[in-house]
Amino acid sequence: MGRVALVTGGSRGIGAAISKALKDAGYSVAANYAGNDDAANAFKDETGIAVYKWSVADYDACAEGIKKVEADLGPVEVLVNNAGITRDAMFHKMTSQQWTDVINTNLTGLFNMTHPVWPGMRDRKFGRVINISSVNGQKGQAGQANYSAAKSGDLGFTKALSQEGARAGITVNAICPGYIGTEMVRAIDEKVLNERILPQIPVGRLGEPEEIARCVLFLASDEAGFITGSTISANGGQFFV
Ligand code: CAA
């Protein structure tokens, strides 16, 4: 049996591509999801990947959910923190709820998910934590003060934790996707997408979820043990760090 991988937000969008790629590479995969039962069940039927429902914003639910995954598949060796939401609004119109929802899911969710699997990874002297941040956490994006703050926080989390995990054989890395052709990006007003965003992407197109999944496979591999605390930017040349 391959290593056990848990992908949050793993039944749709970039997460679905990651779950599938890991399964195809021989991992034993669990896909977490928060709300969309229909999409999760369709994904499970199509791929045979087990789906588990809980919100990454809820610490106790994460601890419980991870226990169930580990009882079914074995200890989590690869954690992909992919779950994320947007609540875009210009700052002067942004509500406290829009701020809190995004911070709780996109930033605190990483604490909630990583904290319960960390002791086991330390004991076993192996772990891979891969955090899906965003180009907008690197460069900031108007209309996304909440999202950019959370995704930027994900990078700080990655760098700090990588130092703690290094001697225990745990790597912690981030991937910063640019604009990928998922529902989240297609939900942007078409005029905003075509006139303001696409012209900023030198390769002239949205990315494919599979292009992010390939980065995950690379970082998850046993052979990537010397790479930790790093950020892979996959954004079509939109932004360089
Ligand atoms: N920089 C500066 N000013 C900007 C701006 C920008 N990039 N974008 C908009 N503005 C200005 C507008 O010119 C406008 O100014 P005026 O009122 O003076 O004309 C003002 O802000 C309001 O703009 P909108 O008419 O667009 O405002 P709205 O309330 O209808 O919509 C919004 C606001 C929902 C944030 C919309 O602008 C939007 O969807 N922007 C795109 C945000 C974005 O890129 N989201 C990414 C989602 S995908 C994702 O997050 C995945 C990932 O990781 C990449």
Side-chain angles (χ1 to χ4, degrees):
M1 280 296 275
R3 292 195 182 279
V4 174
L6 170 56
V7 182
T8 67
S11 65
R12 290 199 295 144
I14 292 174
I18 295 170
S19 298
K20 283 190 219 170
L22 286 166
K23 185 185 179 214
D24 290 348
Y27 290 81
S28 210
V29 180
N32 149 272
Y33 73 102
N36 191 329
D37 294 316
D38 290 345
N41 289 327
F43 173 80
K44 183 180 162 191
D45 292 345
E46 180 205 324
T47 63
I49 294 172
V51 294
Y52 296 83
K53 182 176 183 177
W54 75 82
S55 166
V56 300
D58 178 339
Y59 184 85
D60 293 337
C62 290
E64 276 303 304
I66 289 166
K67 257 193 213 154
K68 174 131 186 37
V69 169
E70 296 201 325
D72 292 348
L73 303 181
V76 173
E77 297 167 292
V78 177
L79 172 65
V80 184
N81 283 313
N82 165 77
I85 59 170
T86 51
R87 296 288 182 267
D88 291 1
M90 299 307 275
F91 189 64
H92 62 281
K93 293 187 198 162
M94 186 174 287
T95 63
S96 165
Q97 194 66 48
Q98 287 174 318
W99 172 267
T100 307
D101 285 350
V102 170
I103 298 293
N104 287 352
T105 297
N106 298 12
L107 177 56
T108 308
L110 270 60
F111 174 83
N112 295 343
M113 285 299 302
T114 311
H115 200 249
V117 300
W118 193 251
M121 288 182 173
R122 278 166 52 91
D123 289 347
R124 293 186 301 274
K125 298 270 177 282
F126 180 86
R128 297 280 182 266
V129 178
I130 300 162
N131 300 320
I132 308 300
S133 175
S134 166
V135 64
N136 291 343
Q138 295 173 299
K139 72 172 184 59
Q141 170 61 47
Q144 289 198 305
N146 49 3
Y147 187 91
S148 297
K151 292 293 186 178
S152 185
D154 293 343
L155 298 178
F157 175 77
T158 300
K159 291 171 193 171
L161 204 56
S162 68
Q163 297 173 41
E164 296 192 22
R167 291 290 170 92
I170 307 169
T171 66
V172 186
N173 291 288
I175 298 168
C176 284
Y179 283 75
I180 309 298
T182 61
E183 274 175 59
M184 182 185 274
V185 166
R186 297 198 189 282
I188 300 172
D189 179 84
E190 215 179 313
K191 204 167 139 60
V192 172
L193 188 61
N194 290 333
E195 292 177 13
R196 290 210 202 111
I197 294 170
L198 275 173
Q200 294 174 25
I201 305 176
V203 302
R205 64 170 174 87
L206 298 176
E208 299 293 335
E210 291 73 20
E211 293 178 299
I212 305 306
R214 281 194 282 278
C215 300
V216 172
L217 281 186
F218 169 63
L219 292 172
S221 67
D222 285 20
E223 292 74 20
F226 201 57
I227 302 168
T228 194
S230 74
T231 300
I232 297 182
S233 298
N235 60 33
Q238 187 183 355
F239 185 73
F240 306 122
V241 280

